[in-house]
Amino acid sequence: MFYDVKDQLTQLIDRFCNSRGLPVGKVEFRSIPFSGEWGIAAPLFPLAAADPDKTLPVPKKAQALAEVLKDQVADLPGFSRVEAVRGYLNLYFEPRQYAERVVSAVLKAGEAFGTREKQGKQVMVEYSNPNTHKPLHVGHLRNVILGGSVCNILEASGKKVIRANYIGDIGLHVIKWMCNYETFHQGEQPGKDIMRWMADLYAESDRRFADDPDFQAQVRAYFGRWDAGDAQIHALWEKTRGWSMQGFQQVYELLGEHFDRIYFESDVEESGKVLVEGLIQSGLAEDGRPENPVIIDLDKKLGTKEEYRVAVILRSDGTSLYATKEIPLAIMKFEEYDLDQSIYVIDVRQSLHMKQMSKVLELMGYPWAGKIRHLAYEIVNLPGNVTMSSRDGTVVLLDDLIREATQRALEVVREKNPSLDPEVMQDVAEKVALGAIKYPMVARENTKIVTFDWDSALDFNGQSAPYIQYAVVRANSILRRFNQPVPSEAAFGHEMLPVEVNLIEKISQLPDVILKAAAEFKPSLIATYAFELAQVFNDFYTQCPVLSAEGSARLSRVLLVKAAKIALENGLSTLGIQSPQVM
RNA sequence: GUUUCCGUGGCCUAAUGGAUAAGGCACUGGCCUCCGAAGCCAGUCAUGUGGGUUCGAAUCCCACCGGAAACACCA
């Protein structure tokens, strides 16, 4: 916030540098540690190091520069105090003015606080990418929450975002499911809980396929009929895929996710095969059929060594692969939309494939190939660094997790707040449970493995979404008791406590945090910020009376509480986490 | 073998190259006649190893150690 103040300062420092023959642009601002008093600091070491006059060591030179600059900036308006300490020029804001500016800006912007005007071209983010006929597990959750959150953050930073979902609706897993269904569950219909039903049948077909050679043979025959275009099987496929999509839709609604464009794997299979033929014609791809697959030897083409390896783009029997379909999909995206960036939220294990794909597109001559970006994230493991495996039955199904967490949250709400209306209770429990589940998925860096364990997933204390939500509820409680309309212009005439200043400072950081998170595709920055803001708010809450405050402090603090609540809610919402008003 | 990612207290995590490395969990002890105790306060404990770059390194570079992953027909 308050770039104008920083601009003024920068100009002043630049003029100073010019007059002294020092390089311009060496001075950046950061905040002063050890708060209590709000201000910005300029470390002068880079400037000191750039000074051609080397008679003084850098730290001493920095201190000398700070002292000279201190006098120059002494009469800038809006600052209460300037000091030169250990090579830093520290400027302390006039606290009242500062408080009024921050709080008024937040109250005025409301839900839009922290978001920027739309600017620039649109960005597509592909995420979620589930397979039909299969259950969703905690690994899928990280993808959905990370992808959705990145979309929210990009939107808040001013980008137009297209949310894309690429559905795996064909392949062996689908054939297995249908073959099992037709043989053992002919005519059955999904109940209300479609995902659970589909998942149970998938597990059953998977088990049969692994254990029963007869069933395996049956599935192979079934696959043959599918390939031959059997009308009955295709009709069943359409129907069962529809069930799966309905199930996904239920989950997305529960998670608060939506998509603007859905691509199906089946849509790009044929065009992929056609493209492969073209690649063979143009000499980029080598056709090794019938013994070997169709490949592109990228290292050979590029003269690199063990860097791009060999991309296999069509099986030796002519059937399609992952890579076969990725190429037409990427093209389709750029044909349909004028994109500034095409982002793929896909786990880190596919890094080489993503690298190969964008290189192939580049070699094919598409000028936009460089706009493709793989947003890699690490997988979700179990304690002891155990990978979840459906074969070992160690996967944690999303369904079970949500159910369990909601149940647990409901018990806690009932215990903490027994007088609530049962419907409100249920609503609160869902928001708390979903928040608790989502938060760990975005609270660590994308490249770090998330370890899932039931204890911490169901723990609503400490650094967690419920902790942050609780701060919102406390703030709301004060506002409810205040029970008067809150003006959007703040005035701070009273002597402020350090906790108040800290809170204001933290609130003011949200816009910058969002911009940084957007630039780096890191929701974790906001997750950390929101928690810290909640901590500072709790500090304020325990140390600073609001409704019982004397004189003008009362209204000022009410306004501050409102501003804090807005910042907390806006931070959470970019993470896809809702804020209950009571809990 | 090649490449990528990770390594911070007992466990998990944070820190635009900048000031005294910040939190959470767990553990121990305290705090509800006072705006909601899902909270607050207090206490013990940390940058894998060795070099280098820099005025300054958890952060950048090199080597090594430890863990994970990818590397021609699964996605």
Side-chain angles (χ1 to χ4, degrees), chain A residues 162-383:
Chain A
I162 299 149
R163 295 158 189 257
N165 194 353
Y166 177 47
I167 311 272
D169 61 341
I170 49 175
L172 181 62
H173 66 281
V174 179
I175 301 296
K176 271 196 296 197
W177 194 97
M178 291 197 295
C179 185
N180 182 64
Y181 173 80
E182 212 164 88
T183 317
F184 303 98
H185 299 273
Q186 182 69 264
E188 287 178 29
Q189 301 275 327
K192 201 171 151 211
D193 193 346
I194 304 173
M195 286 301 285
R196 158 65 36 171
W197 183 77
M198 298 288 293
D200 286 346
L201 286 197
Y202 179 77
E204 184 184 303
S205 71
D206 201 39
R207 222 177 307 124
R208 253 194 197 112
F209 190 79
D211 300 343
D212 181 357
D214 291 344
F215 184 67
Q216 265 179 43
Q218 206 181 332
V219 168
R220 268 195 296 275
Y222 203 89
F223 214 147
R225 284 170 60 201
W226 157 269
D227 272 339
D230 184 303
Q232 194 200 331
I233 292 180
H234 274 78
L236 179 66
W237 172 67
E238 298 249 3
K239 187 164 82 177
T240 54
R241 181 180 82 160
W243 290 340
S244 229
M245 292 302 289
Q246 267 181 51
F248 291 151
Q249 195 48 42
Q250 287 174 359
V251 173
Y252 292 143
E253 270 169 31
L254 188 60
L255 293 176
E257 293 295 333
H258 68 277
F259 294 93
D260 304 307
R261 178 68 169 99
I262 292 189
Y263 296 100
F264 288 102
E265 215 177 309
S266 55
D267 289 340
V268 282
E269 189 180 28
E270 284 315 310
S271 52
K273 289 180 182 172
V274 172
L275 272 168
V276 169
E277 289 308 323
L279 289 170
I280 297 168
Q281 296 302 316
S282 73
L284 194 56
E286 299 166 34
D287 189 356
R289 287 175 295 177
E291 292 84 21
N292 292 304
V294 180
I295 60 158
I296 301 178
D297 191 336
L298 284 162
D299 277 331
K300 196 163 80 187
K301 291 277 175 220
L302 297 163
T304 48
K305 257 171 52 191
E306 296 192 67
E307 190 181 347
Y308 289 93
R309 314 270 169 169
V310 169
V312 181
I313 56 172
L314 197 69
R315 281 202 191 87
S316 50
D317 64 3
T319 57
S320 69
L321 285 158
Y322 177 64
T324 320
K325 292 164 277 197
E326 279 293 337
I327 295 168
L329 177 64
I331 296 169
M332 198 188 288
K333 287 176 175 179
F334 280 92
E335 279 173 353
E336 287 180 3
Y337 301 95
D338 186 14
L339 297 175
D340 207 28
Q341 241 186 340
S342 180
I343 297 166
Y344 291 73
V345 181
I346 302 181
D347 83 61
V348 68
R349 292 173 298 188
Q350 292 182 45
S351 296
L352 178 60
H353 301 274
M354 293 301 301
K355 194 170 143 185
Q356 289 179 333
M357 182 192 69
S358 40
K359 186 51 84 177
V360 168
L361 289 163
E362 189 190 312
L363 292 174
M364 288 170 80
Y366 291 104
W368 42 256
K371 294 181 176 179
I372 288 176
R373 187 192 158 107
H374 176 207
L375 177 50
Y377 65 93
E378 263 292 358
I379 57 168
V380 180
N381 268 355
L382 296 165

